[in-house]
Amino acid sequence: MGAHFDLSELSRAAGDPMYSVIDGDLPCTAKVEANYTYIFNVCGTVGTSAMPDKCKTLTNVGQASALQINTRGTYDQSDDYCFMAGEYSEVMTKVSLLNQEDPTKGIQVSYAGGRCSNGDQRMFNIEMGCMDKLNPVATHALEYSHCVYTVTMPSIYGCPLECPVSNRHLCGGNGHCAYDDDKHAARCFCNNGYTGADCSKTATDDSLNYSPALLGLIITLFIIVCALAAGLLFMVRQIAAYKDDMAHYEVLKGGEDESSHGGVVV
């Protein structure tokens, strides 16, 4: 669809701090959901050094890309519960667009994990919306359906590479990233007065960034205005010619009347 993404910079090494977020109660629902802590990585596994001791005993924990931890409201980790919310492998990992019709809305990384108590498979989704934000931080996590956990983490990494970062801002801070239906590709749409792939250049009067559709509309309106002006000028000339003909007719008619009533009085 004319859009490419690079998440390699988001993947953290085993010794680095992992991403973490605490979920909350779903708004506008009667049920009060319990709070869980999630530790996760993007396109990588969670290092054992970042795991609580309770998580290190899980089966295949070395493949864990997301962990769900129930602290049970205490600071004592000995009574924590830990579950593998997602596993990083080719089979268990899926990358998809948030909007199949518009890649500039963002990208989603999904991990399949272990089984819940009722047998449902856990799913851990990382929604990375496209936003002019350099530092990716998980803002919230919600369990919209049973055993399906969704973390929201908007940043520039959710934007296609076709919308470059310049001067530490998406599209140079002088435009916005959107999908061009005419070119079938994502690109920066620059604000008036700016141009270039990243909107970092100042546009001159003859290089303003007009889309083909807008340019076609302007040309069409110009042709219509010219046609109306030509038609109006033709009508004015026709009316003027008609008035001249009438004036000539009245002169000729006046001359004929004089000659018909003229004579010599004795």
Side-chain angles (χ1 to χ4, degrees):
M1 291 187 66
H4 303 82
F5 299 85
D6 184 6
L7 305 179
S8 59
E9 293 185 9
L10 297 181
S11 183
R12 296 187 173 178
D16 296 336
M18 296 292 139
Y19 301 97
S20 64
V21 65
I22 299 176
D23 68 359
D25 178 44
L26 285 173
C28 302
T29 58
K31 181 182 178 181
V32 178
E33 286 78 16
N35 290 337
Y36 295 97
T37 300
Y38 296 93
I39 299 175
F40 64 96
N41 199 356
V42 177
C43 299
T45 58
V46 177
T48 54
S49 61
M51 298 180 187
D53 292 337
K54 282 288 186 177
C55 297
K56 295 178 182 179
T57 60
L58 294 175
T59 304
N60 296 328
V61 72
Q63 298 296 317
S65 56
L67 297 169
Q68 182 193 52
I69 304 162
N70 184 359
T71 62
R72 305 180 68 186
T74 67
Y75 292 99
D76 184 7
Q77 293 187 3
S78 62
D79 63 350
D80 290 354
Y81 292 140
C82 185
F83 307 95
M84 188 184 296
E87 179 182 329
Y88 181 64
S89 66
E90 185 176 351
V91 177
M92 307 292 273
T93 305
K94 179 183 177 182
V95 180
S96 59
L97 296 174
L98 291 179
N99 187 324
Q100 298 299 321
E101 301 297 327
D102 186 357
T104 63
K105 296 301 182 183
I107 194 170
Q108 176 175 279
V109 178
S110 301
Y111 304 122
R115 298 285 176 177
C116 287
S117 57
N118 65 349
D120 292 342
Q121 187 170 45
R122 300 179 190 271
M123 291 294 301
F124 189 82
N125 302 317
I126 308 172
E127 289 188 353
M128 288 176 278
C130 178
M131 181 180 289
D132 188 12
K133 183 178 180 183
L134 293 177
N135 187 25
V137 176
T139 57
H140 59 271
L142 294 172
E143 187 177 352
Y144 292 111
S145 57
H146 186 60
C147 295
V148 178
Y149 321 109
T150 302
V151 173
T152 302
M153 193 167 69
S155 73
I156 59 172
Y157 296 97
C159 306
L161 297 176
E162 287 75 8
C163 296
V165 174
S166 177
N167 299 324
R168 297 181 61 82
H169 285 285
L170 184 68
C171 298
N174 301 314
H176 66 280
C177 183
Y179 190 70
D180 192 330
D181 291 322
D182 295 328
K183 296 183 178 180
H184 302 289
R187 70 177 181 92
C188 287
F189 285 79
C190 302
N191 297 336
N192 190 28
Y194 294 92
T195 187
D198 56 4
C199 302
S200 61
K201 298 179 181 178
T202 303
T204 57
D205 291 340
D206 57 350
S207 63
L208 294 178
N209 187 22
Y210 294 112
S211 67
L214 180 59
L215 190 59
L217 178 61
I218 293 174
I219 293 174
T220 302
L221 290 176
F222 178 76
I223 294 173
I224 292 175
V225 170
C226 289
L228 290 175
L232 182 61
L233 180 61
F234 177 77
M235 290 179 62
V236 169
R237 289 183 175 179
Q238 288 292 99
I239 293 173
Y242 175 76
K243 287 182 177 180
D244 289 342
D245 290 344
M246 289 296 296
H248 293 155
Y249 174 76
E250 291 295 333
V251 171
L252 293 174
K253 184 179 179 182
E256 291 175 357
D257 290 342
E258 267 185 34
S259 58
S260 61
H261 294 286
V264 178
V265 179
V266 180

